[in-house]
Amino acid sequence: MKNIIVIQLARLGDIIQSVPLLEEIKSVYIGFNIYLFVNDIFKESSIFLNNINIIPVILENLVDEKGDILTNQGTEQYLHNLTERFENQALILINLNNSCIAKKIAAYVYSEKKLGFGAKDSEEWTSFVTSFLNTRHLGSVNLVDIFKRFLKKDYQNYLPLKKISISNSSSNEKKQQQLSPTKGLKSIGIQCGARNIKRQFTQQHYIDITSHYLEKNYIVYLLGLKSEMQVAKKILDKINHPNLIDTTGKTDLSELVNIISKCERIYTPDTGTMHLAALCGTPFTAFFCGPAYPYETLAYTEKCEVFLPSWEVFKCYPCKDDALCPNNYACHRFSFKKIFTEGYDEDFLSLDVKYDEIGQVLTPIDEMALLWRCFMRYYFNSIQDSLNVFLPISTSMKKKIERELKLWEVLDINDLEASEVNFYFLKPLVYYNKFKAEKRLITCAIDYFKEAVT
């Protein structure tokens, strides 16, 4: 029983956000073998996962084109091949994905204790954080902190991600020298694109950043995958300069890490490159727009500038990944020229990164989200005086919450259609109730909010 299994089949950023949990496991379970299931396309992540055994999962062997789980004989054989080494030999399994395929693998593996998504031992916490998926504006828990709590350890010190040492081969060093046109110059990196157009910078943003640093005699690296080469091409069509280096589609993960490590700063949307910068200890400037929400997915570091659309100006933010934008991407209309010259853009917020008993917290934070965070500190961390940190609550907010508390007593919260219309602040409790998890949390939350507004 000297094996601990962690399942993380999401994207590169999610794997990096799993690093603090993995480091905590290594410090608590000394001498254990730690295995991490990852999507096969991210198996290179082993370069920054020291003393972690990577098990690549070829998702195409488990799902069809629609994303449905296959149930044929071949699927069962593939699952058996993936997991046969752990037969009756795993102490703990932690599933970090709320997907059907991750839960399928978790169910297939025997372990003495199962934690995380789909596990009974973690039901209260997973049901609670999942309840905010439809009211993301009220959520404020970083994925790192969601993952770490699965270990069920009392954390006293939530600290930024430590810089991870990443090995470099001589061949990589040689390639880095080829990518550096002039020795001795400072450099910055710009991530070209993101996985969803609603998260991306505009072409003008890339031009503004590039021009600003080329004028200061910096080397500017364009970073990205093959799929982002077209973004880089548009920049190169506008700017022809020997210190503008296009690396999109030309680097593996190790080479990308080495470029990021040598940069003074990285400019990026919400991407895996942002999380790599945090791992490398490289400062970055991140702009979150569309469905990208830094309270959930910002890299776990203080070495950053973070901007996002003002909630007062952009009522639709954050939106959903798959929803069409009815406002012509209005939340993309920030100005890097203003940020460079004045340090801000009046329609966008600049966030400070701090850490409390739950973990990473960004300020400013919406009043209602702040009250929910107070409740989390009270309920999950037994902090009796948490309300005193954030009082007084504004009169307008009190009235809104009082109205919903009265409706809670008379409406059937199992009627999701009625609840969608009548609740906003208490809507996470509506969804939590849908999961049929421990109801003590609901009672405690209602009592807590009643006290908060009296």
Side-chain angles (χ1 to χ4, degrees):
M1 307 292 283
K2 297 285 286 186
N3 298 321
I4 294 178
I5 301 167
V6 180
I7 299 174
Q8 177 51 280
L9 301 179
R11 300 182 64 83
L12 178 62
D14 300 81
I15 295 173
I16 298 173
Q17 286 186 287
S18 308
V19 168
L21 170 65
L22 294 168
E23 292 296 311
E24 192 69 39
I25 291 172
K26 286 194 291 186
S27 69
V28 174
Y29 295 93
I30 298 171
F32 278 68
N33 301 311
I34 304 171
Y35 294 86
L36 179 67
F37 285 76
V38 301
N39 187 330
D40 180 69
I41 64 175
F42 298 121
K43 60 187 176 185
E44 279 187 277
S45 57
S46 59
I47 67 168
F48 55 76
L49 295 172
N50 300 321
N51 301 314
I52 303 292
N53 302 291
I54 295 293
I55 300 181
V57 179
I58 302 173
L59 299 185
E60 290 77 5
N61 289 347
L62 296 171
V63 298
D64 60 19
E65 292 180 358
K66 297 179 182 179
D68 298 323
I69 294 177
L70 298 173
T71 55
N72 56 37
Q73 187 174 355
T75 303
E76 293 298 314
Q77 183 61 49
Y78 183 66
L79 284 169
H80 173 74
N81 294 340
L82 276 176
T83 61
E84 62 179 339
R85 75 188 76 180
F86 305 115
E87 187 174 356
N88 300 322
Q89 292 295 316
L91 176 66
I92 298 174
L93 180 145
I94 306 178
N95 177 25
L96 302 183
N97 302 131
N98 198 26
S99 66
C100 293
I101 188 169
K103 291 176 181 177
K104 176 77 172 176
I105 294 173
Y108 207 89
V109 178
Y110 168 83
S111 69
E112 188 173 298
K113 181 184 293 185
K114 292 187 177 181
L115 304 170
F117 290 100
K120 192 70 177 175
D121 284 348
S122 304
E123 182 178 50
E124 185 176 54
W125 176 242
T126 55
S127 296
F128 179 74
V129 294
T130 306
S131 297
F132 287 84
L133 290 177
N134 291 292
T135 50
R136 294 173 64 207
H137 194 187
L138 298 177
S140 63
V141 186
N142 190 285
L143 274 180
V144 169
D145 302 316
I146 291 174
F147 296 159
K148 287 184 74 174
R149 194 172 285 272
F150 288 145
L151 199 55
K152 291 198 169 183
K153 184 178 180 297
D154 292 329
Y155 296 102
Q156 300 299 321
N157 297 308
Y158 279 87
L159 299 172
L161 189 65
K162 294 180 181 178
K163 181 178 178 179
I164 303 294
S165 60
I166 301 171
S167 60
N168 185 21
S169 67
S170 58
S171 60
N172 281 339
E173 290 176 352
K174 185 176 180 180
K175 188 165 185 176
Q176 295 305 309
Q177 293 170 2
Q178 294 172 348
L179 288 170
S180 300
T182 309
K183 291 184 178 180
L185 295 183
K186 295 180 180 179
S187 59
I188 63 109
I190 305 174
Q191 169 62 30
C192 295
R195 63 186 171 90
N196 185 317
I197 191 172
K198 293 165 73 176
R199 298 171 179 258
Q200 290 184 190
F201 294 162
T202 67
Q203 183 179 352
Q204 190 58 49
H205 294 146
Y206 294 118
I207 298 298
D208 289 345
I209 300 168
T210 303
S211 300
H212 176 80
Y213 279 97
L214 288 177
E215 288 173 5
K216 292 178 174 290
N217 202 30
Y218 275 67
I219 297 171
V220 177
Y221 289 103
L222 302 180
L223 313 174
L225 306 172
K226 286 183 179 180
S227 58
E228 288 146 351
M229 292 174 68
Q230 287 301 312
V231 176
K233 183 179 183 303
K234 290 178 180 178
I235 300 170
L236 294 166
D237 287 343
K238 293 285 185 179
I239 301 176
N240 181 15
H241 196 286
N243 286 356
L244 178 58
I245 311 300
D246 178 21
T247 71
T248 55
K250 302 172 184 177
T251 57
D252 60 22
L253 186 58
S254 178
E255 292 161 351
L256 175 60
V257 162
N258 283 312
I259 292 175
I260 292 172
S261 296
K262 69 190 290 184
C263 286
E264 186 177 275
R265 179 169 291 273
I266 301 296
Y267 287 84
T268 177
D270 180 16
T271 62
T273 297
M274 172 188 68
H275 294 281
L276 283 174
L279 267 184
C280 297
T282 301
F284 62 83
T285 296
F287 209 103
F288 287 73
C289 50
Y293 202 49
Y295 296 89
E296 301 166 344
T297 58
L298 179 67
Y300 217 69
T301 179
E302 292 174 322
K303 291 184 176 182
C304 59
E305 292 180 316
V306 187
F307 298 91
L308 83 165
S310 168
W311 300 302
E312 293 183 1
V313 178
F314 304 97
K315 304 294 185 185
C316 55
Y317 177 79
C319 60
K320 293 183 178 180
D321 266 303
D322 56 354
L324 294 175
C325 177
N327 299 316
N328 196 26
Y329 304 107
C331 68
H332 290 208
R333 295 172 195 162
F334 53 92
S335 169
F336 272 111
K337 284 187 176 180
K338 281 189 177 181
I339 291 172
F340 289 139
T341 57
E342 302 173 28
Y344 72 97
D345 184 323
E346 59 271 13
D347 289 341
F348 298 84
L349 301 177
S350 175
L351 302 180
D352 291 324
V353 182
K354 300 178 182 178
Y355 296 86
D356 66 5
E357 292 83 358
I358 295 173
Q360 188 183 82
V361 58
L362 308 179
T363 57
I365 182 172
D366 175 79
E367 264 192 305
M368 290 188 175
L370 197 53
L371 187 53
W372 267 109
R373 193 172 183 91
C374 286
F375 170 70
M376 281 185 268
R377 294 172 71 230
Y378 168 76
Y379 187 82
F380 291 104
N381 294 77
S382 302
I383 299 174
Q384 300 296 326
D385 62 345
S386 59
L387 268 179
N388 297 331
V389 178
F390 304 112
L391 290 174
I393 300 171
S394 68
T395 301
S396 60
M397 178 177 166
K398 279 186 179 182
K399 288 182 178 179
K400 291 176 182 177
I401 296 174
E402 285 173 345
R403 170 190 167 276
E404 292 195 24
L405 287 169
K406 290 177 181 177
L407 285 173
W408 187 270
E409 295 177 352
V410 298
L411 290 179
D412 178 9
I413 61 171
N414 292 305
D415 185 346
L416 288 178
E417 186 174 345
S419 297
E420 285 280 350
V421 175
N422 289 288
F423 293 113
Y424 175 73
F425 176 72
L426 294 179
K427 196 176 289 186
L429 290 185
V430 174
Y431 290 110
Y432 182 87
N433 181 68
K434 179 184 176 183
F435 295 131
K436 303 187 185 305
E438 174 59 57
K439 296 299 190 290
R440 186 177 72 90
L441 184 147
I442 294 178
T443 302
C444 186
I446 294 297
D447 291 342
Y448 183 86
F449 296 134
K450 283 180 178 178
E451 181 181 349
V453 297
T454 56

